[in-house]
Amino acid sequence: MDKQEKKQIQSAFKEKMDYDELMNCTRCGFCLPTCPTYIETGRNEVHSPRGRIALMKGLVDGVIEPSEEVKQSIDMCLGCRACEPVCPSGVNFGRLLEQARDAIYQNKKQTVPEKVMKGIFFKGIFPHQNRMVGLTGLLSFYQRSGAQKLAQATGIMKLFPESMRTMEKVLPKVPKKSEMKARPRHLQPLVKERKKKVAFFSGCLMDTMFMRTNDATVKLLQYAGCEIVVPDTQACCGALHGHSGELKQAKEMAKRNIQAFEVAGVDFIITNAGGCGAFLVEYDHLLKDDPVWSERAKSFCAKIKDITSILIELDFHKQPLALEKKIITYQDSCHLKNGQKTFMEPRQLLESIEGVRYVEMKDASRCCGSAGIYNIVQSEMSMQILDYKMEQVQKTEAKMIVTANPGCLLQMKLGIEREGLSDEMQAVHIVDLLLEAYENANATNESSNQQFLAMQT
């Protein structure tokens, strides 16, 4: 960093950081055992929550100067927020992290590759769902045309880092572009009693790469007695922007989504991705200084509910649910647990499935190392964290790892592949598993499936 950069970053820290929040930290150390990077770096305080807060406060106070070492500490944080539930002072570390990254990345000179990547993805693709569909459609063509098999057979993939090569193998089968575009926007319950009217936040990656899981989510809601509205003007939640120091763009996404869902007239807004839900539920904080949007954001946030929460509320776990005998375990989505405070609901649903034996994994709520794009930009640490996670998975003797977030799902698939367990273990999103269990137990036949399909058109 040159002198001008350091001056700008230090000034930004003084302007952007919530000093009262920084002062809330009493340096008690309760956060230390919960922090994956603190543990994996050999208990290095620089990579702990209280260590990072000390660095942030030092920059604001002018006691230390911005440096590459400080930036590395901030960058290496997963943003899992596991430190928040155990903090006796209630420090909102996730918010401090976003403020710190915003101060650094809006004032540090970016390399040409960084500018290009941010321009393409953060500005050019994620805010525009039609472009997401187009890009994901290319991935679908890559998978279906034989190009993927050719790339793997010819050794082209060896040009990429090992983690990316393995990730390419475990990507879900992506639907065709035409399938992604032909989406229903208003659906009725598939049972006699209509219990709730809800809106579904379909997301960007979830509604393209993980479209099948979105379809399963909608169908579960229909079986639970929900009328569903899917606003076609909704946008990316903005989480990747917010976590990467692009708060201005995150606010733009928030306003678009609030406006899109305000006219739906629903009881709840349902999410099926822990990372998205945790960011959506904090739009009120994101827009707290905006006199036009702050109250609208509060109303929006009050309606956010994870799919597992609404299913428990509607007694879906008391419905017949059954699968063939197997041991399953659950990997918490950090943001679902620490952001949305949703912990027991997924477990209640899994334990209600006849035929499966649920085994709690040690440190199930410790981050798996996915953390948005962390497993790409901090690959070494991510794989170190994943290795520990897979050790705990194997101790459960489970043949299935259940998750509630797309990033976690891909990371666990990556772990299974790295451990050579693809033939004996699988990872699934909880809604896909619950839909299978419901339809298996209720002997849903082909005619009912045709009825469902007819209602989509």
Side-chain angles (χ1 to χ4, degrees), residues 13 65 168 275 292 312 319:
F13 263 83
E65 287 189 344
E168 186 264 352
V292 176
I312 290 294
Q319 300 268 9

Side-chain angles (χ1 to χ4, degrees), residues 28 42 46 69 115 126-127 133 139 158 192 199 218 248 264 291 358:
C28 67
V46 172
E69 289 75 19
K115 286 182 179 179
F126 282 113
V133 170
L139 176 58
K158 291 182 180 179
K192 292 181 180 180
V218 168
K248 182 179 178 181
Y358 175 76

Side-chain angles (χ1 to χ4, degrees), residues 177-184 211 456:
K177 184 176 179 180
S178 58
E179 294 177 289
M180 288 185 273
K181 286 190 170 182
R183 314 307 304 287
M211 189 190 86
Q456 310 302 294

Side-chain angles (χ1 to χ4, degrees), residues 143-155:
Q143 293 176 332
R144 291 182 293 104
S145 65
Q148 182 178 36
K149 292 182 180 179
L150 182 63
Q152 293 172 350
T154 57

Side-chain angles (χ1 to χ4, degrees), residues 17 168 299 304 431:
M17 297 303 301
E168 186 264 352
S299 298
I304 298 296
V431 298

